[in-house]
Amino acid sequence: MSAAVSTLDGADLLDAYQAGQSSVFVSPRGTLLAEGVHSEVNTSGLADLPEQVAAVLGTHPVRTVVGAVPFAPDAPARLVVPRRLRRAPVLGAAPAVPAASAARESLPPIPDPGYIAAVARAVEEIQAGAYTKVVLARALRLAAPGFDPAPVVRALAYGGAGTYTFGIDLGGGRTLLGASPELLVARRGRTVSANPLAGSIPRSTDPAEDARRAAGLLESAKDLHEHTFASEAVAEGLRPYCRNLRVPSEPTLTATPTMWHLGSRITGEIIDPDVSSLALAAALHPTPAVCGTPPAAARRAIAELEPFDRGFFAGMVGWADADGDGEWAVTIRCATAGPEGLDVYAGAGIVAASDPHAELAETTAKLGTMLTALGVFNVA
């Protein structure tokens, strides 16, 4: 297959996506299908990633990298220059694919005594002044013999489960798939945008109750406090690189089929055109929405309280080109599929006022995005 860039219909690109042979990324700007691997970016972590990518892109006709960066800053990323890159406009509707919203509230809180205990301990440490916020995650291992990620990725893209849908080839028969509602950062020409999400509540299938929950989220002192951490951190991270930075004074509601979130759409103008979208993403990652504050203390708490390696969960996923443009979503509402099965992830922000059982219910609702799309599997 020759190295080339072409444009087709978004539905055609989704149909052409094959796990293990290509990667797909669907966003409000359009659909991107990366086929094959011309070269892989070799890096030992986040610190030198923008420079390594710039060096690789300088000589290749596609001039774009696609892939994912893990949560841990010293873990290797999976970014590749594809042999062929195909783009399409914004994806249209697909009436034949059912929306994930039909299964809202179909899952009662999945028992997880270890998670409840971890949240309780985190609340005690926050109240003692060890840190101000930490994001604690859960991971479910699902048995899925013969699982093909492609139909699930298509269902997520068409079903409105998230603004940013992805199926990323991780190599070795592994695929990162999901539908994230959260934009870490995007750059298009001189325009920079970000949309940090923090503060959430599960949705209801009853319209009146759903509206009540949305209104309550906008007035929740606990959730507004949590959101402030994330929004201010992103604004501070972008400020050295942007002029005319516009930060909303109050968050607005962002809806997914399973959750209401508080979000703040932050925009600005890049000062130095040589600062790429990936450099901006590296400066922001990880935000308090997936880590906590202060970051070093939150990372230590995560290492102590979470009984698994996050891998690519709570990292970033997307693309960047040689002109500096690109889109990077926060890798949430996701799963990692491989020969050993499926690992599905979800997290919640813990602050002083957090209730362990409420956080359990919230993470179950967030897990519902992927569990609904995946269908019925046995939870190990």
Side-chain angles (χ1 to χ4, degrees), residues 102-257:
R104 283 186 300 186
E105 292 193 327
S106 62
L107 289 169
I110 300 170
D112 192 338
Y115 185 75
I116 291 176
V119 172
R121 180 177 163 189
V123 169
E124 291 176 357
E125 293 177 348
I126 291 169
Q127 292 174 347
Y131 41 90
T132 53
K133 173 187 173 180
V134 65
V135 178
L136 293 182
R138 299 167 62 194
L140 296 181
R141 169 62 58 87
L142 307 179
F147 173 69
D148 179 7
V152 175
V153 171
R154 295 184 189 108
L156 289 168
Y158 285 124
T163 304
Y164 302 89
T165 302
F166 47 90
I168 303 296
D169 177 25
L170 297 178
R174 300 172 68 236
T175 298
L176 176 69
L177 64 151
S180 173
E182 183 169 4
L183 174 66
L184 178 63
V185 69
R187 204 200 96 165
R188 188 173 190 176
R190 288 279 183 146
T191 301
V192 175
S193 56
N195 187 28
L197 303 182
S200 308
I201 192 170
R203 298 194 63 179
S204 171
T205 51
D206 176 73
E209 173 62 15
D210 194 47
R212 187 195 67 78
R213 293 185 185 184
L217 182 62
L218 283 170
E219 298 176 356
S220 166
K222 176 260 185 188
D223 290 287
L224 290 169
H225 183 55
E226 180 184 341
H227 182 79
T228 298
F229 287 136
S231 179
E232 289 182 350
V234 170
E236 288 303 307
L238 290 177
R239 196 161 275 119
Y241 304 98
C242 296
R243 61 169 67 94
N244 301 325
L245 196 68
R246 293 171 289 278
V247 184
S249 57
E250 296 179 352
T252 57
L253 289 169
T254 295
T256 73

Side-chain angles (χ1 to χ4, degrees), residues 2-369:
S2 62
V5 178
S6 61
T7 301
L8 287 175
D9 178 78
D12 291 336
L13 293 193
L14 270 179
D15 286 343
Y17 166 62
Q18 298 181 58
Q21 300 181 38
S22 56
S23 294
V24 67
F25 185 80
V26 182
S27 82
R29 285 173 58 177
T31 301
L32 178 152
L33 181 70
E35 297 173 298
V37 177
H38 175 274
S39 56
E40 185 173 353
V41 179
N42 294 315
T43 177
S44 58
L46 195 63
D48 64 345
L49 198 54
E51 292 77 16
Q52 294 289 339
V53 167
V56 170
L57 290 182
T59 59
H60 193 267
V62 171
R63 303 178 76 243
T64 302
V65 293
V66 181
V69 176
F71 174 74
D74 56 350
R78 171 66 174 177
L79 295 175
V80 303
V81 179
R83 290 189 178 277
R84 181 166 69 160
L85 183 71
R86 295 196 276 174
R87 297 179 182 272
V90 176
L91 189 67
V97 180
S101 57
R104 283 186 300 186
E105 292 193 327
S106 62
L107 289 169
I110 300 170
D112 192 338
Y115 185 75
I116 291 176
V119 172
R121 180 177 163 189
V123 169
E124 291 176 357
E125 293 177 348
I126 291 169
Q127 292 174 347
Y131 41 90
T132 53
K133 173 187 173 180
V134 65
V135 178
L136 293 182
R138 299 167 62 194
L140 296 181
R141 169 62 58 87
L142 307 179
F147 173 69
D148 179 7
V152 175
V153 171
R154 295 184 189 108
L156 289 168
Y158 285 124
T163 304
Y164 302 89
T165 302
F166 47 90
I168 303 296
D169 177 25
L170 297 178
R174 300 172 68 236
T175 298
L176 176 69
L177 64 151
S180 173
E182 183 169 4
L183 174 66
L184 178 63
V185 69
R187 204 200 96 165
R188 188 173 190 176
R190 288 279 183 146
T191 301
V192 175
S193 56
N195 187 28
L197 303 182
S200 308
I201 192 170
R203 298 194 63 179
S204 171
T205 51
D206 176 73
E209 173 62 15
D210 194 47
R212 187 195 67 78
R213 293 185 185 184
L217 182 62
L218 283 170
E219 298 176 356
S220 166
K222 176 260 185 188
D223 290 287
L224 290 169
H225 183 55
E226 180 184 341
H227 182 79
T228 298
F229 287 136
S231 179
E232 289 182 350
V234 170
E236 288 303 307
L238 290 177
R239 196 161 275 119
Y241 304 98
C242 296
R243 61 169 67 94
N244 301 325
L245 196 68
R246 293 171 289 278
V247 184
S249 57
E250 296 179 352
T252 57
L253 289 169
T254 295
T256 73
T258 59
M259 300 294 298
W260 285 109
H261 300 282
L262 295 178
S264 291
R265 188 77 177 184
I266 299 172
T267 59
E269 182 183 349
I270 196 77
I271 297 171
D272 182 355
D274 290 333
V275 176
S276 68
S277 66
L278 184 55
L280 293 171
L284 295 176
H285 176 67
T287 73
V290 294
C291 181
T293 53
R299 279 188 181 277
R300 287 193 295 270
I302 289 168
E304 293 174 1
L305 297 175
E306 287 183 1
F308 59 90
D309 181 355
R310 287 188 173 189
F312 287 92
F313 168 68
M316 55 191 192
V317 59
W319 63 273
D321 66 21
D323 294 326
D325 288 351
E327 298 174 286
W328 296 95
V330 181
T331 315
I332 53 177
R333 311 298 186 276
C334 67
T336 301
E340 69 281 2
L342 275 155
D343 292 307
V344 186
Y345 304 92
I350 312 304
V351 294
S354 292
D355 172 74
H357 292 278
E359 304 301 344
L360 179 70
E362 178 178 321
T363 53
T364 295
K366 291 175 177 177
L367 288 168
T369 296

